[in-house]
Amino acid sequence: MVLPLLGLVATGLFSVVACVAGLHLLVMAWRSRRAPELWMGLSLTLMLVGNALVVAALEGLPPGPAARSLALWGEAGLALGFVCDVLFNRRVFRPDTWWATGIVLIVSVGLVGAVVVEGLWLRAEPPSAALVAARVGLRELSYGWATAEALRYFGLMRRRTRYGLADPVVTNRFFLWGISSSLGMVVIACFGVATLLGFRGEVADLLMFVGSLLGLPAASLVWLTFFAPASYRRFLRRHSATDRGAASP
Amino acid sequence: MNSSPVFEWLATELEGATSLSRQEARGTVRIALREVGLTVEGVARRPMCFVLDRVLPDILRSRGVQDSVTLCSHLARRLDAASLAPQRESPEHVFARLGGDLPSRH
């Protein structure tokens, strides 16, 4: 009883933080008319709405056409959220590369296509294992790319910080974003396997619990990424100054 | 991937001011940038001046360029005054803005 409740609290906390961060970014995008804020804000918000609809379909409705329809709307929200995520990666990290455009196309066509296929042809049936596996693979690709880019850039920024060429708070933001994206990969894997198991059995329950529990560290990371408190910023700057002082002759 | 106007400017100037070939000049600047964690695509004017001041003189000396300190300080002064194409927004700038460390308006 305690464990599912803990998972629920963790998921709820993550949802609140992601919702606040997503809306905050959308307000920023509306004011500044800039694409990165828009893509990231839409990504967080759409994924949150999509996830809420899927959970409501699974937990709140009896199995049947209504639940399937609600879950499908949820999957559509999640698909668009991941499309926004790869658009953010391309715009921020790889604006000129052909392969980044390729990843955006693969993820967009794959995830939106999966929703269309499920909606048009499989309306009455649960999605096939192949469709679920493809969806999980494309989501992992999206978050895997975000993780790799953020951590690669964190490495560059760390070197810059040593020479006083970068703000340690911004450097740390790349690290936080990279780690939260990697946690997202674990969550996707947990829920993906649980879906393939039909959400039945001890293994599926454990995976769902682990996936939900990871909402707790993910919430903290997203919060620190976008709303780092002054004390945390001071700690990072002081720590960085000490490092630079120790490194200089 | 497109290199930044600052990188292109410095590589061209270095090629003209030394006996380095175009490829050698570009490679030398690339190595200097990598040493401090900067990228060819995203390097801006001010960090490049830092590279010219602190990193490039030693690398140029090791490649047989005479009086590299004077050359680099001359190039830094010229870079400061050069008129260059506008720079694309770097990931560093975007992440600074997303966390509220830069103004979000133009």
Side-chain angles (χ1 to χ4, degrees):
Chain A
M1 186 62 202
V2 174
L3 292 185
L5 191 68
L6 200 61
L8 201 67
V9 168
T11 307
L13 193 68
F14 177 75
S15 303
V16 170
V17 171
C19 181
V20 172
L23 293 175
H24 167 73
L25 289 169
L26 287 177
V27 170
M28 278 176 78
W30 182 67
R31 283 184 183 159
S32 66
R33 306 269 180 246
R34 293 193 198 241
E37 284 89 333
L38 179 68
W39 295 137
M40 197 186 269
L42 278 176
S43 172
L44 285 171
T45 314
L46 285 167
M47 282 193 208
L48 196 68
V49 172
N51 200 42
L53 292 179
V54 171
V55 171
L58 283 173
E59 305 287 338
L61 291 175
R68 292 280 316 125
S69 174
L70 190 62
L72 195 62
W73 280 107
E75 293 295 351
L78 284 166
L80 293 176
F82 280 99
V83 171
C84 292
D85 187 60
V86 286
L87 282 169
F88 172 82
N89 279 336
R90 184 187 172 278
R91 165 67 179 73
V92 174
F93 293 105
R94 306 282 175 181
D96 299 317
T97 47
W98 62 269
W99 60 261
T101 309
I103 293 181
V104 170
L105 285 175
I106 289 169
V107 170
S108 307
V109 172
L111 287 177
V112 175
V115 173
V116 172
V117 166
E118 200 180 334
L120 290 180
W121 286 287
L122 307 170
R123 230 173 298 173
E125 302 293 325
S128 68
L131 196 70
V132 172
R135 190 182 277 155
V136 169
L138 291 168
R139 288 174 183 176
E140 292 286 12
L141 175 64
S142 167
Y143 270 4
W145 185 23
T147 303
E149 293 290 6
L151 294 181
R152 179 189 72 92
Y153 219 85
F154 167 66
L156 291 173
M157 291 285 287
R158 228 159 51 132
R159 227 178 299 167
R160 286 179 208 179
T161 309
R162 264 182 237 140
Y163 291 93
L165 288 171
D167 181 354
V169 174
V170 181
T171 301
N172 179 256
R173 196 164 293 143
F174 283 96
F175 176 73
L176 295 172
W177 189 246
I179 298 299
S180 65
S181 300
S182 69
L183 281 183
M185 290 177 74
V186 180
V187 171
I188 291 166
C190 287
F191 283 103
V193 175
T195 309
L196 288 172
L197 294 171
F199 299 105
R200 282 189 299 270
E202 279 179 13
V203 176
D205 286 346
L206 182 69
L207 287 169
M208 298 271 282
F209 171 67
V210 171
S212 306
L213 202 63
L214 286 175
L216 216 54
S220 319
L221 292 167
V222 169
W223 185 260
L224 284 176
T225 303
F226 298 110
F227 310 105
S231 55
Y232 184 67
R233 288 163 190 262
R234 272 200 305 275
F235 164 76
L236 290 172
R237 292 200 170 112
R238 205 169 44 232
H239 187 68
S240 164
T242 315
D243 276 358
R244 286 221 307 274
S248 63
Chain B
M1 198 171 283
N2 290 345
S3 43
S4 85
V6 173
F7 171 81
E8 291 297 338
W9 182 90
L10 183 60
T12 309
E13 290 293 318
L14 206 56
E15 185 190 346
T18 63
S19 58
L20 298 175
S21 68
R22 178 180 154 79
Q23 244 181 344
E24 285 168 339
R26 292 175 76 84
T28 304
V29 180
R30 208 178 275 269
I31 289 167
L33 291 177
R34 199 179 305 151
E35 199 161 312
V36 292
L38 294 166
T39 60
V40 168
E41 313 86 55
V43 63
R45 202 186 294 251
R46 192 174 287 182
M48 190 61 107
C49 285
F50 176 89
V51 169
L52 278 164
D53 182 42
R54 300 271 298 269
V55 187
L56 209 51
D58 284 345
I59 298 176
L60 286 174
R61 196 177 305 123
S62 71
R63 280 160 174 68
V65 174
Q66 300 291 311
D67 207 3
S68 58
V69 175
T70 310
L71 172 66
C72 285
S73 69
H74 171 68
L75 287 173
R77 275 198 305 277
R78 289 198 50 216
L79 174 60
D80 215 25
S83 145
L84 299 171
Q87 190 101 11
R88 174 177 280 132
E89 193 177 38
S90 68
E92 179 181 358
H93 197 269
V94 173
F95 269 66
R97 212 176 55 236
L98 292 179
D101 291 300
L102 281 176
S104 60
R105 282 174 193 277
H106 284 284

